[in-house]
Every structure is written in structure tokens, then in C-alpha cells.
Amino acid sequence: MLLTIVSAVFVFGLLVLVHEWGHFITAKMTGMRVDEFAIGFGPKLLDWRTGETLYAIRAIPLGGYNKIAGMDLDEEENDAGERAYYRRPVWARMIVILAGSFMNFVLPVVLFFLIFAFAGIQTPNTEPIVGGVMTGAPAESAGLMAGDKIITINGQQVTEWKDISTLLSDGAGKPYEVTYQRGEDIGKTTVIPMEDEATKRVVIGIQGTLVTQNVSIGEAASLSVEKTVTIIKSMLGALVLLFTQEGASAELSGPIGVAQMAGEVAQHGFIPLLNFAAFLSLNLGIVNLLPVPALDGGHFVTLCIEAVRGKQMSKQVMYYIQTVGVVLLISLMIFATFNDVTR
């Protein structure tokens, strides 16, 4: 439980810090006055003032915000003059709004670079060596353990990892005799494969091993960008399915689910946790750009409308738009949290 809490706070804190810092630094650079920079919501745990800005760490680490002068005030209430948000040019406000998600795309590149540069890259080992056994899987029931090398399955030679899937491809529910090497000893066991409901593949619940390869700084930089782009493409494809494929929304996770996943990933080490943080950062960046009121993407759309009209939308219209957005987000959060609890 403690590991889950610490891991969740680390991941949420890192993502929120980077996202809000993007808004913060661009607001400062475009001449806006930032009254408060906060990580978390609720009561203050720690705060200090530097210059005109109050910096605060709050009790609930599920978000954060920048209090930029003039974002929520009427003309009559503005005491920031030309440094008020709404008094700055449209292009400046667009930069500030998009900067949060932009930083969520930059963070994974940095994290992947650090992982590749200091820990190398890991590729699947082609040897038929068991790297891990899933709890409750047929392999565990059969007594197979991490480090075992599969030699034969029903008397047929196994030379590569892919041979295991090939020899078990049509054997769900059927007993297979497996010969394996454990250290210097040779053992035999019987395993009964099962069909994985999600992939419809016949499995026994084992994972292969990984081979670590060191790379140069230049290769690490190139690979970090390449991996980030690949994940973004995959996420965009999944997002399309979310709105087009029936039942896809059932896979949504809220804060509880994410915290649980962070704890599970952290059990495998700090590097897997950094990988998870990078993945989640990209997810946050993409979701925030959706044209939904109350999200950065929705705010950007209203700025585009303002640029076309040549004047700002009325405060009343903005109020209704933001209210609809908040209701949608709260509804989605409740649905995702319900999924977390039922799972």
C-alpha cells in the first residue's frame, strides 16, 4: 500500500509539475502576471512567495493550477493592467494554453533519453528462457520458474522462444509434457495451456527474458524521439477506437486505477516506473488537447473563434461553455472511478 501511494504521488506530481510549469513559464515570458503556482488542490501544505508569485504545495496531488491575473476577472476588477491574461494578444494566450500539453510531450522524450542513455535498451531474448511466471497461470501450477530453459514440448525440440507458441497454438485444455533445464538439472512437468480471453491465443502464462544493449548518447536521443512518436501514434489510434468501437470506453481508468497501476509497475523497479510516467504524460498531453470545454483544447478553440471574430466572447457565453465542460469532465471522472472500483 505504501509503495502504491508513494509511486502514485511521484507520477502525478511529476506530470502535474511539468504541465503547469509549461503554462507558468510561457505566461511569464509573454508578460502576464502569475499570482499563484500550485501543485495539488485543497489545503496548503507548504507555500512561499518569490517576487509577485505565491508557490504552493497542496494536500490533494491530483492536479494543479496557475492563477494568472485576469483569467477570471471583469475589466472593472482587473488590477494587473496590460499584464492581465485577457489583455494580452491572442497569440500569447494561445501559447500559454498549449504550453502545458507541449511539456507533457517533451517530458517522455527526456525520460526515455535518460533510460536509454544510462540503462541501455532492452530487446526480447530469442532463447526459450522463462523470464517470469504469472500468478495463477498454468505454468505456475506446473512448477515452472523464472530462469528455466524450455528444451522440449511433447518431445519436439525448442530452439527459440517463438517455438513455444507454435507448439502450443492449438492445445488449450490439453496436457503437454515439458522438459526444461534448471541450472545443471533437467526436469519434466505437465502443463495444460489455456486460452487468453483478450487475445484469443493459447498461453501458459510465462514471459521471456530481455537482453540489455548499451547505446551512445546520440542513439539514445534518436531512440527517445522515435519511441515517443510511436506511442503517440498508438494512442491516437486507441482514441479513435474509444469513440468508434462499442465497449471501448469500458477500459477507461480514473485516479484509483492509475494509482494502482503505478504501484504495480513500481514493484518491478524505478526504470519501469519512469516508463509508466512517460506513457501517462503522453496520455495527459493528448487528452488535454481534446476540444472539450474546460480542457486546454477547448480553451484553444475559443481563442481561435476570438481570433476569427476579432473580439472576445462574452463572459456569460464563456461561463456556460466552461460549465458544460466541467459537467462532462466530472461525469467522465465518475464513470472512470466506477470502473476502477468494480475492477
Side-chain angles (χ1 to χ4, degrees):
M1 177 62 74
L2 179 61
L3 180 62
T4 297
I5 294 174
V6 172
S7 302
V9 170
F10 168 76
V11 171
F12 284 129
L14 178 62
L15 268 57
V16 171
L17 175 63
V18 169
H19 181 92
E20 295 303 331
W21 186 84
H23 292 312
F24 171 80
I25 195 64
T26 50
K28 290 281 192 179
M29 291 173 63
T30 54
M32 300 177 190
R33 193 185 78 193
V34 183
D35 294 330
E36 182 178 352
F37 175 85
I39 299 300
F41 297 111
K44 294 177 185 176
L45 299 178
L46 178 66
D47 68 273
W48 67 97
R49 181 174 293 278
T50 301
E52 64 188 10
T53 304
L54 176 70
Y55 299 87
I57 298 176
R58 296 178 177 268
I60 306 173
L62 297 179
Y65 62 89
N66 283 279
K67 186 178 179 182
I68 302 175
M71 275 197 99
D72 303 312
L73 298 179
D74 291 327
E75 178 77 29
E76 297 79 16
E77 299 175 302
N78 173 35
D79 65 349
E82 292 301 316
R83 299 188 63 199
Y85 172 83
Y86 71 88
R87 296 289 291 272
R88 305 308 297 160
V90 174
W91 63 263
R93 284 177 277 151
M94 286 181 171
I95 290 175
V96 172
I97 291 302
L98 295 179
S101 290
F102 175 76
M103 290 306 301
N104 283 128
F105 293 125
V106 172
L107 176 62
V109 176
V110 174
L111 293 180
F112 288 142
F113 170 76
L114 293 175
I115 292 171
F116 294 149
F118 293 99
I121 60 173
Q122 293 184 319
T123 55
N125 187 358
T126 58
E127 291 188 80
I129 299 176
V130 178
V133 180
M134 297 175 62
T135 303
E140 183 184 53
S141 301
L144 291 174
M145 301 172 60
D148 290 348
K149 182 177 182 179
I150 307 299
I151 301 174
T152 64
I153 296 179
N154 273 0
Q156 299 188 59
Q157 196 72 26
V158 176
T159 57
E160 295 185 343
W161 179 262
K162 63 180 182 180
D163 295 339
I164 299 175
S165 297
T166 301
L167 294 174
L168 298 174
S169 60
D170 61 348
K174 302 177 183 178
Y176 280 81
E177 184 179 76
V178 176
T179 304
Y180 60 91
Q181 180 179 348
R182 181 177 298 167
E184 300 297 325
D185 301 325
I186 302 296
K188 289 187 177 181
T189 187
T190 299
V191 62
I192 302 177
M194 65 179 185
E195 183 179 73
D196 182 75
E197 294 182 1
T199 63
K200 303 302 179 183
R201 294 174 53 205
V202 176
V203 299
I204 59 174
I206 58 175
Q207 300 170 334
T209 55
L210 299 172
V211 177
T212 301
Q213 176 186 350
N214 294 324
V215 297
S216 67
I217 296 298
E219 289 174 321
S222 175
L223 287 170
S224 63
V225 174
E226 181 180 325
K227 183 170 183 177
T228 299
V229 171
T230 299
I231 295 176
I232 290 175
K233 290 180 179 178
S234 176
M235 285 183 173
L236 290 175
L239 190 62
V240 171
L241 290 178
L242 181 64
F243 293 103
T244 60
Q245 188 178 70
E246 184 178 355
S249 58
E251 298 302 319
L252 285 173
S253 289
I256 296 176
V258 173
Q260 182 181 18
M261 286 186 282
E264 293 173 352
V265 171
Q267 293 178 9
H268 299 284
F270 187 59
I271 289 179
L273 185 62
L274 290 181
N275 269 294
F276 179 71
F279 180 86
L280 203 61
S281 183
L282 291 174
N283 206 315
L284 176 62
I286 291 174
V287 169
N288 251 295
L289 289 178
L290 293 177
V292 177
L295 291 180
D296 291 344
H299 203 150
F300 181 74
V301 169
T302 62
L303 289 175
C304 291
I305 295 174
E306 177 185 334
V308 172
R309 295 175 71 235
K311 61 179 181 179
Q312 296 183 13
M313 300 176 70
S314 70
K315 185 177 180 181
Q316 185 177 24
V317 171
M318 289 298 299
Y319 171 78
Y320 287 130
I321 291 176
Q322 294 297 323
T323 300
V324 170
V326 170
V327 171
L328 289 174
L329 288 179
I330 292 177
S331 300
L332 184 62
M333 182 68 71
I334 293 174
F335 176 71
T337 302
F338 176 77
N339 278 344
D340 294 338
V341 174
T342 53
R343 277 197 294 265

